Amino acid sequence: PLTAPFASEVDPRTVWKAWRALRSVDVVHAHAWRDHVLVGLAAGWRGVPIIRTIHTFMEPHMSGLARSILERRTDRVVCVSEALRRQVVACGVPEASTVVIPNGIDTARFQPSSVAQARHLLGLENDTPIVAAVGNLWPTKGPDLLLRAFSRVPRGMLIMVGDGPMRSELEQFVSDLGLTARVRFLGSLADPRPAYAAADVVVLASRQDAFPLVALEAQACGRAIVAFAVGGIVEAVEDGATALLAPPEDVDALAAHLAALLEDRNRTATMGEAGLARIRASYSLEVMTSRLLGLYEQAIRPQQEGLSAAH
């Protein structure tokens, strides 16, 4: 692999290193804005097909060079959700060059496990209904909306996994809401699986989300989901079957869904089983990898056909 840190968006020395490294490469796959510019220039000069996966909604301050390479020099643009593809096309990327390939997860790693062991590990009581939120404490993830909603849920405990710039503000908000005894901040966990296993319900309160891995991981662990119906979340779950979705930023509806599932353990278990089956069938690493390999073959086929014709 090419390891070449670069000082600016267009670093001639690094582009030249990439150009040399691409001599025996059939296709290039970029995942971040900066490396897309790097390989876009180097691969373009090499005549190597370029594939770019977009994982988040396009940034409005993206440079003109990055946008130009994405729109004019990228063979296929992979979007992780239909919601993301609509935004990408609206920003000027030709629709014909886009394809949706959702993220996949390791279903051998994320799978149902012992609730009792997970709760013991996290210091939680076995008979307490648990809601888990896994994600960075950033405004876009809506932790403030979640706390407002949870204050309307009559029973249970909320565990918040993740860290970020809002933590001290949120801890004060918990105190102001009188939730100190019912909310625990666990910080960042190297392994989120115990949080999924310990929970009865996993909640996502994002204001926007391209396609949340948390929703896939939680369903693979057999957990029902409650979330706002925004972005790619509506594609990552099946409303009514594996999740209950509330209108965007409607904290009352989110609270009602949480309370309903915490009171109906049978329904929660049924939704968890449906989510597990759905992830294994459609969102495993194997499914994602197979689709990407097919895309690589499509990208290099014109070159192979051209070589055959030349001989």
Side-chain angles (χ1 to χ4, degrees), residues 2-310:
L2 170 67
T3 301
F6 40 105
S8 61
E9 186 176 46
V10 183
D11 182 341
R13 292 180 60 188
T14 307
V15 172
W16 179 76
K17 289 179 182 179
W19 181 82
R20 291 188 62 191
L22 295 177
R23 280 179 295 188
S24 59
V25 170
D26 294 311
V27 64
V28 170
H29 191 168
H31 290 268
W33 293 118
R34 182 170 282 192
D35 63 53
H36 184 64
V37 172
L38 169 67
V39 300
L41 293 171
W45 291 330
R46 278 283 183 198
V48 175
I50 307 168
I51 292 174
R52 166 73 159 95
T53 291
I54 298 180
H55 297 274
T56 61
F57 288 101
M58 289 176 66
E59 301 174 19
H61 59 271
M62 182 175 56
S63 75
L65 176 60
R67 189 178 296 276
S68 176
I69 291 173
L70 185 68
E71 295 174 2
R72 298 178 177 86
R73 303 185 69 175
T74 305
D75 295 88
R76 297 305 295 271
V77 178
V78 178
C79 304
V80 296
S81 67
E82 286 287 352
L84 187 54
R85 173 156 71 172
R86 289 193 294 271
Q87 195 254 10
V88 165
V89 171
C91 286
V93 176
E95 185 173 4
S97 71
T98 64
V99 61
V100 175
I101 299 181
N103 290 319
I105 61 166
D106 185 351
T107 53
R109 180 169 182 251
F110 291 96
Q111 58 179 298
S113 58
S114 169
V115 176
Q117 288 182 8
R119 292 195 173 196
H120 176 74
L121 178 66
L122 298 176
L124 303 170
E125 297 179 2
N126 278 331
D127 58 350
T128 301
I130 300 292
V131 175
V134 179
N136 295 315
L137 303 182
W138 296 339
T140 188
K141 295 297 184 181
D144 54 321
L145 300 176
L146 171 57
L147 290 174
R148 286 170 55 198
F150 192 70
S151 70
R152 294 161 168 77
V153 179
R155 59 193 292 263
M157 175 172 281
L158 170 65
I159 58 173
M160 301 186 71
V161 177
D163 221 327
M166 293 183 71
R167 177 155 179 173
S168 60
E169 170 191 340
L170 294 169
E171 289 174 336
Q172 181 59 53
F173 194 30
V174 166
S175 177
D176 295 343
L177 291 170
L179 293 174
T180 303
R182 298 181 57 209
V183 177
R184 284 186 54 187
F185 290 88
L186 301 184
S188 297
L189 298 181
D191 184 355
R193 289 177 296 176
Y196 296 136
D200 296 284
V201 179
V202 173
V203 60
L204 293 89
S206 299
R207 290 178 164 87
Q208 190 55 276
D209 210 316
F211 194 78
L213 285 175
V214 167
L216 303 186
E217 293 170 354
Q219 289 175 97
C221 291
R223 293 294 168 259
I225 306 290
V226 169
F228 289 131
V230 298
I233 289 178
V234 300
E235 301 167 46
V237 302
E238 185 177 352
D239 190 20
T242 73
L244 295 181
L245 297 180
E249 300 191 36
D250 187 336
V251 295
D252 289 328
L254 196 75
H257 287 334
L258 287 171
L261 288 184
L262 292 180
E263 292 296 330
D264 191 343
R265 296 292 184 91
N266 290 332
R267 185 183 185 191
T268 302
T270 298
M271 293 177 74
E273 292 169 1
L276 172 61
R278 185 170 185 269
I279 297 304
R280 288 180 173 174
S282 303
Y283 296 98
S284 67
L285 281 179
E286 291 78 11
V287 171
M288 180 188 71
T289 301
S290 175
R291 296 188 67 186
L292 285 174
L293 288 174
L295 193 63
Y296 297 160
E297 292 172 356
Q298 291 177 23
I300 66 177
R301 189 174 299 136
Q303 288 186 327
Q304 292 176 333
E305 292 173 348
L307 289 173
S308 298

